[in-house]
Amino acid sequence: MSKIAIVHDYLNQYGGAEKVIEAFHEIYPDVPIYTSIFLPENLPASFQRMDVRPSFMQKLPGLKKHFKKYLLLYPRAVESFDLREYDVILSSSSAFAKGARVPERARHVCYCYSPMRFVWNTRSYLENENLNPLWETILPPALAYLRRWDLQSSRSVHQFIAISEFIRRRIKNAYQRDADVIYPPVDISGFDISPKQDDYFLVVSRLNAYKKIEFVIDVFNRLGLPLVIVGTGPHEPTLRQRARNNVRFAGKVSQSELAGLLSRCRALIFPGEEDFGIAPVEAMASGRPVIAYRGGGALETVIENVSGVFFDTYTHESFEAALRQFEETSWDPNRIRQSAMRFSKEIFQEKIKAYLNSV
């Protein structure tokens, strides 16, 4: 039987990639997880039951606050793992994990969330980081080095799995490599249809500048419609200053609170061009339609006029046209929920097991 190791970029926050790690762990509960840094206090209790093996970076000071400042150490961290006893390396990567050194006889399968965003889209990355002048001087040559490393490390991967067709095309453009597509897992069982509907629209997102939530607030300020925003992040103070009384910030909520908010909203607003986007699938699992920007992973998850509608540009006119289309459409909650089933965690796990068995 093949001996497997999982390598993940970093375990310092909980998001879509970490939900994938939880799903991997359910399939392979005895498999070790190698990662650059591990901050269990930022993660659900399930991670404390995993065999997590962090790199030498774990001993560095101030990891919780200053992990970005150690940017150039992450390649060395993942290269330092001794993986000689394993036959299959499964990397979970949007940045560094795919650079792990693979034994000659082993196979390396990379589950890729995206080619390294901050080196392939440097300009927008720097714009969103609000850097001081010193970092603006240091970062460009550092990112140029990381881009070279990223290209070189991609050659150690035998097979890429992309999280969406959108990312499959990015992998082809960045690395000149083909990839198979297995959509990431969504825990459909945690969401259900509510018999009651409230009058608010909902945004569920980390509050970063590039998420386009500012645009949504401006539109809802103009329309005066109720909007609830779930999530926290560095852009929150700016967004709060911009919002009027019709916009409510719910902050960080529990999973059960999120399920309730999703099931009772009129629709989820999904304004960003995301690699995949779990929130729309969770909304659909709750029987609620999605109003999404026509781009990225939403084109693969949202079925127009069945589970949602699209707006084409970041203009009030385009969004308001989508909103009218939403109002004029008769939505079937059961049909919407059914469209979310193809992204269930169980289907993801079956496909990953079959894929690694074929390796």
Side-chain angles (χ1 to χ4, degrees):
M1 185 174 178
S2 295
K3 199 168 183 184
I4 301 171
I6 295 169
V7 184
H8 186 62
D9 291 327
Y10 22 66
L11 287 170
N12 64 333
Q13 58 188 355
Y14 189 61
E18 287 67 42
K19 290 178 181 179
V20 170
I21 291 297
E22 287 181 309
F24 284 162
H25 179 68
E26 287 180 15
I27 307 171
Y28 307 112
D30 300 323
V31 165
I33 300 161
Y34 292 83
T35 190
S36 57
I37 59 175
F38 178 39
L39 302 180
E41 64 272 20
N42 291 354
L43 297 159
S46 58
F47 284 83
Q48 296 182 28
R49 297 189 290 272
M50 300 178 190
D51 179 6
V52 178
R53 304 182 186 183
S55 75
F56 65 83
M57 289 184 67
Q58 189 72 7
K59 298 178 182 178
L60 296 173
L63 279 179
K64 191 166 188 177
K65 188 175 180 182
H66 301 294
F67 65 93
K68 287 186 178 181
K69 294 179 181 176
Y70 295 117
L71 183 65
L72 294 179
L73 289 181
Y74 289 97
R76 183 173 295 182
V78 298
E79 289 173 348
S80 71
F81 299 135
D82 184 356
L83 305 174
R84 287 175 291 182
E85 63 181 287
Y86 303 103
D87 307 303
V88 178
I89 310 302
L90 175 59
S91 62
S92 163
S93 183
S94 63
F96 304 104
K98 74 177 187 319
R101 296 190 184 279
V102 180
E104 190 174 329
R105 61 181 172 76
R107 299 291 293 178
H108 181 186
V109 176
C110 176
Y111 190 73
C112 184
Y113 308 98
S114 175
M116 203 181 285
R117 296 178 187 89
F118 43 84
V119 304
W120 294 102
N121 199 1
T122 301
R123 181 175 296 177
S124 64
Y125 175 78
L126 294 181
E127 285 173 357
N128 292 326
E129 285 299 303
N130 193 24
L131 301 168
N132 65 43
L134 176 62
W135 279 102
E136 286 181 356
T137 303
I138 294 171
L139 262 184
L143 294 179
Y145 157 75
L146 287 174
R147 182 170 179 156
R148 292 192 298 272
W149 180 87
D150 190 47
L151 272 173
Q152 183 179 1
S153 67
S154 70
R155 295 172 192 145
S156 76
V157 177
H158 294 102
Q159 289 157 272
F160 276 101
I161 307 173
I163 64 168
S164 63
E165 289 291 338
F166 181 61
I167 293 304
R168 184 189 64 76
R169 292 191 292 271
R170 271 198 197 166
I171 291 169
K172 185 70 171 178
N173 290 337
Y175 305 140
Q176 302 303 303
R177 298 286 303 276
D178 293 322
D180 299 300
V181 174
I182 298 178
Y183 292 118
V186 182
D187 190 1
I188 304 293
S189 64
F191 302 90
D192 214 338
I193 297 169
S194 171
K196 179 189 174 187
Q197 239 68 77
D198 291 334
D199 66 344
Y200 62 87
F201 292 84
L202 186 65
V203 167
V204 179
S205 175
R206 182 152 174 79
L207 304 185
N208 288 328
Y210 68 91
K211 296 286 189 178
K212 303 293 185 182
I213 299 165
E214 217 164 295
F215 165 75
V216 179
I217 287 174
D218 287 347
V219 170
F220 275 78
N221 282 345
R222 172 174 164 165
L223 297 173
L225 294 170
L227 176 69
V228 176
I229 298 174
V230 169
T232 60
H235 205 49
E236 184 173 347
T238 302
L239 297 175
R240 283 183 176 274
Q241 287 178 359
R242 203 175 190 97
R244 294 181 183 166
N245 292 337
N246 57 301
V247 179
R248 179 170 74 87
F249 289 83
K252 186 177 181 180
V253 301
S254 68
Q255 195 66 14
S256 61
E257 288 171 325
L258 175 62
L261 285 165
L262 281 167
S263 67
R264 295 191 305 273
C265 73
R266 293 189 66 192
L268 178 82
I269 311 298
F270 192 67
E273 186 177 64
E274 300 285 350
D275 304 334
F276 174 73
I278 288 177
V281 180
E282 293 177 336
M284 292 186 294
S286 308
R288 304 314 307 148
V290 180
I291 302 174
Y293 174 69
R294 195 186 297 275
L299 291 170
E300 300 172 54
T301 56
V302 178
I303 303 170
E304 193 159 21
N305 298 323
V306 172
S307 58
V309 297
F310 294 100
F311 62 95
D312 298 303
T313 61
Y314 292 108
T315 62
H316 289 196
E317 294 76 16
S318 181
F319 186 89
E320 288 174 25
L323 190 59
R324 284 193 298 274
Q325 185 181 349
F326 160 79
E327 298 280 10
E328 292 166 2
T329 303
S330 179
W331 301 103
D332 180 346
N334 290 301
R335 193 177 178 196
I336 293 173
R337 179 173 168 81
Q338 190 60 40
S339 74
M341 292 301 178
R342 58 206 162 108
F343 305 107
S344 73
K345 181 174 68 171
E346 292 74 20
I347 288 176
F348 168 82
Q349 290 175 324
E350 287 171 11
K351 288 184 175 181
I352 287 293
K353 281 192 289 187
Y355 198 97
L356 291 192
N357 286 341
S358 72
V359 169

